[in-house]
Amino acid sequence: MKKAALVLSLILAIGLLAGCGSKDASTGSGDAKQEESKAIKIGATAGPYSDMITKAIKPILEKKGYSIELVEFGDYVQPNLALSNGDLNANLFQHKIYMENFAKENKIELSELISVPTAPMGIYSSKFKSLDEVADGSTIAIANDPTNLARTLGLLQDAGLITVNKDIDPLRVSEKDVKDNPKHLVLQPIEAAQLPRAVDSADLSLVPGNFALAAKMNLLDALKLENMPDDYRNRVVVNTADLDKQFAKDLKEAVESAEFEKTIDEQFKGFGKPEWMLKRK
């Protein structure tokens, strides 16, 4: 009996030790997971918005204990697919209209955290020094994709060169939406990426800000810069399921900080600020 009791005691002791070990291992695993949550990946297209992450966002989040990895893309499709399948925690490259349409077509749930200062489209010319000089019959290079074309027509209208039909659909807009063209301007649709080169070949070229910066153009050289609606400003985007996670709250807080705006003012000259940023002045 004594021998059986001794064996039973040993078994119980071993079980208790194993239980303690299992508890410690579990605690350690929990800590590791917590550590991993501080490592986040943010996707962006190469150019000004990847620069915005490294120069204006990353330093702030690192002070909060995060490890930030920038993942660069060369197109506008993969950043959202990578986000939806969990390869990214957030991305920064798109405006509201594109995000909503992409999410609908691909049956994924995306949400914006916050809009950011965005490089505006501009009217550039190597021939004219002001819009007053634009002659009758001048050629204008414009983007051939609907989203950029909607902005193009809006900018030309703001410049007083044309008028467009009301309530145009930004996803299906075309040159047919031009209502009045008193100077008989000749619109020449081309790929948006080619618009910087068209500054020298056409009388005017309407260049989206990201392509202007990629071509080393100075935004402030434009004859007129776009007064961009907030729907066309780029935003930080996450999976809808992650909206309330701590990293998302900290990422939004970083963009809202005075340090972020200071970096924008110093290193991203000509970028138009979103309404929320202007209202707090």
Side-chain angles (χ1 to χ4, degrees):
M1 288 291 292
K2 288 183 179 181
K3 186 175 181 180
L6 179 60
V7 171
L8 182 59
S9 297
L10 286 171
I11 291 172
L12 289 172
I14 291 169
L16 286 171
L17 286 172
C20 289
S22 175
K23 184 178 180 181
D24 289 343
S26 175
T27 302
S29 174
D31 290 342
K33 287 181 180 178
Q34 193 169 10
E35 291 279 331
E36 288 171 8
S37 71
K38 284 284 190 177
I40 62 177
K41 292 182 179 181
I42 307 176
T45 46
Y49 301 103
S50 60
D51 289 342
M52 189 175 290
I53 291 168
T54 56
K55 295 178 180 179
I57 295 176
K58 182 178 178 180
I60 299 172
L61 288 176
E62 286 179 336
K63 291 176 184 177
K64 293 177 178 286
Y66 285 92
S67 172
I68 307 300
E69 180 182 346
L70 169 66
V71 182
E72 289 192 339
F73 295 88
D75 65 78
Y76 295 139
V77 175
Q78 295 306 314
N80 277 339
L81 296 180
L83 178 60
S84 67
N85 67 26
D87 289 339
L88 299 175
N89 300 102
N91 66 38
L92 171 55
F93 77 98
Q94 64 193 317
H95 54 59
K96 182 181 179 69
I97 296 170
Y98 180 84
M99 179 197 75
E100 291 180 343
N101 189 58
F102 188 96
K104 181 179 179 180
E105 288 187 350
N106 291 275
K107 295 180 174 57
I108 57 178
E109 295 292 329
L110 302 178
S111 293
E112 67 173 272
L113 273 184
I114 190 168
S115 54
V116 301
T118 304
M121 179 180 286
I123 303 177
Y124 296 88
S125 177
S126 60
K127 181 176 181 179
F128 303 125
K129 293 184 179 179
S130 76
L131 291 174
D132 294 334
E133 296 178 6
V134 176
D136 192 273
S138 293
T139 58
I140 303 184
I142 62 173
N144 64 1
D145 62 285
T147 304
N148 277 318
L149 181 55
R151 296 169 60 192
T152 295
L153 297 183
L155 178 51
L156 287 173
Q157 178 167 265
D158 288 344
L161 295 173
I162 64 171
T163 58
V164 297
N165 294 322
K166 294 181 179 179
D167 303 321
I168 61 174
D169 184 343
L171 298 176
R172 295 178 177 82
V173 65
S174 73
E175 298 95 296
K176 294 180 180 179
D177 285 299
V178 176
K179 183 179 180 182
D180 296 306
N181 183 3
K183 288 195 172 186
H184 309 98
L185 303 174
V186 180
L187 304 181
Q188 299 178 334
I190 62 174
E191 292 288 334
Q194 300 303 316
L195 288 167
R197 294 182 182 180
V199 173
D200 293 323
S201 58
D203 295 321
L204 298 167
S205 184
L206 277 78
V207 186
N210 58 319
F211 292 116
L213 291 171
K216 309 298 182 185
M217 295 170 66
N218 186 342
L219 297 179
L220 302 181
D221 286 341
L223 302 183
K224 183 175 178 62
L225 287 173
E226 172 185 28
N227 183 17
M228 186 184 295
D230 256 25
D231 280 356
Y232 287 118
R233 295 193 194 281
N234 283 354
R235 46 252 296 139
V236 179
V237 173
V238 298
N239 288 308
T240 301
D242 292 340
L243 268 176
D244 293 326
K245 289 187 177 179
Q246 190 59 46
F247 86 85
K249 294 176 182 178
D250 288 338
L251 183 49
K252 183 174 185 286
E253 188 177 277
V255 174
E256 291 173 330
S257 70
E259 182 180 347
F260 174 86
E261 186 170 6
K262 183 173 183 290
T263 303
I264 295 299
D265 290 340
E266 293 173 350
Q267 301 189 45
F268 295 83
K269 297 184 185 300
F271 278 55
K273 295 180 179 179
E275 290 180 12
W276 67 262
M277 191 175 277
L278 295 173
K279 286 179 179 179
R280 69 183 184 185
K281 296 296 185 184

